[in-house]
Amino acid sequence: MNDPQSLAENRPSMLARLMAGIASHAPGVTAGPIDDEPTPDEPGHPEYHRRQRAEFALSRWTTAVPYRYRQATAQHPEILAWAERAADDYRSAGFLVLTGPIGTGKTHQAYGALRRIAEAGPKRFEMIATTAPDMYGLLRPGGSDKGTEHELKRLCKVPLLLLDDLGTEKLSEWTEEATTRLVNERYNECLPLIITTNFPVRAASGDPNPDLVTRLGARLASRLAQTATAVTLDGPDLRRGLRSVS
């Protein structure tokens, strides 16, 4: 036989009475959807994670950049467009060659392009920035404890590489071979390379001044011409202007 139950046990619960009261006072109201999607300031939102990647990338950029260029930004529209392509997919960006006389801001713009990539918050951000003379010094026998081949492979494989002042080094069969291996490897692997140089990629017909063709050879210049965004920066020497102001 079942245990006897009191009348109180058969009464509706307090929650049921409350819900019934609400339904009687607002018969046409139904529960709406709950917006539980994360906001841009919360984990799970794409913008939140892009900001996290950008913060990390900018810290790596700052570590790799000389103090003088810590405030560098790119302003040239073609350079900014190249940086946007590299941030979206660095293998589709190609090379960026900045040419022009001394003091026209090539190095500043180059570091600014790398900064713009970092600010975009790419999924991967690794960079090396060096000058051509420093690179050749590193690659010479005894230039690195890890050896020439290790250093060359590191330069060939890093996703983003800036080679500043190409063409200022003393030409030799060895520098030509090292440059050829570096450019060819990055060309074949579709890895971006930023080059700054005082020489045009190819001088105008009849111009006796040297260009990258004469400095690097026609084969390398052809690689640059095929895959590079070439931007010429001209104007007065900005360094002299800064000195005169100070």
Side-chain angles (χ1 to χ4, degrees):
M1 173 181 292
N2 295 330
D3 294 334
Q5 295 179 339
S6 67
L7 292 176
E9 291 175 328
N10 291 324
R11 291 176 182 175
S13 68
M14 183 178 292
L15 177 60
R17 293 198 303 273
L18 178 62
M19 296 302 295
I22 293 174
S24 65
H25 284 87
V29 176
T30 58
I34 299 174
D35 184 9
D36 58 357
E37 290 294 320
T39 69
D41 295 325
E42 296 176 329
H45 194 283
E47 177 60 15
Y48 173 88
H49 295 289
R50 187 202 68 78
R51 291 174 186 169
Q52 294 294 307
R53 294 195 303 269
E55 182 179 348
F56 174 75
L58 280 170
S59 69
R60 300 193 78 168
W61 178 87
T62 302
T63 301
V65 173
Y67 184 81
R68 181 175 296 278
Y69 298 103
R70 295 278 173 85
Q71 304 303 317
T73 56
Q75 295 91 26
H76 195 286
E78 288 187 72
I79 297 174
L80 288 172
W82 181 89
E84 294 292 343
R85 291 196 301 273
D88 184 59
D89 177 12
Y90 64 87
R91 289 190 186 272
S92 68
F95 293 174
L96 176 65
V97 180
L98 306 182
T99 69
I102 295 173
T104 51
K106 299 182 296 295
T107 303
H108 181 98
Q109 292 283 329
Y111 280 116
L114 291 169
R115 179 180 190 148
R116 182 67 195 92
I117 296 171
E119 289 173 339
K123 293 182 179 179
R124 183 181 182 186
F125 186 84
E126 296 177 48
M127 62 169 279
I128 294 176
T130 185
T131 66
D134 284 344
M135 180 189 74
Y136 295 124
L138 184 69
L139 296 180
R140 291 187 185 280
S144 168
D145 294 338
K146 296 182 178 180
T148 297
E149 287 301 314
H150 170 85
E151 298 296 348
L152 183 58
K153 288 179 180 178
R154 189 169 68 97
L155 294 170
C156 288
K157 299 296 184 182
V158 68
L160 296 165
L161 176 64
L162 165 58
L163 189 55
D164 199 18
D165 281 336
L166 184 64
T168 57
E169 69 284 348
K170 184 178 180 180
L171 291 177
S172 69
E173 184 176 338
W174 178 84
T175 59
E176 182 178 350
E177 178 187 352
T179 309
T180 299
R181 289 183 61 186
L182 175 66
V183 173
N184 273 341
E185 179 68 19
R186 298 192 69 84
Y187 173 85
N188 290 334
E189 294 300 322
C190 297
L191 292 173
L193 170 64
I194 303 177
I195 292 173
T196 74
T197 178
N198 298 332
F199 300 99
V201 176
R202 190 181 296 273
S205 179
D207 188 342
N209 294 315
D211 55 18
L212 286 183
V213 174
T214 56
R215 296 289 300 182
L216 304 178
R219 192 167 118 189
L220 282 188
S222 175
R223 292 277 194 270
L224 296 179
Q226 179 181 351
T227 189
T229 297
V231 178
T232 301
L233 301 175
D234 51 21
D237 187 336
L238 300 178
R239 298 190 186 108
R240 291 186 179 181
L242 291 173
R243 286 197 298 269
S244 65
V245 170
S246 61

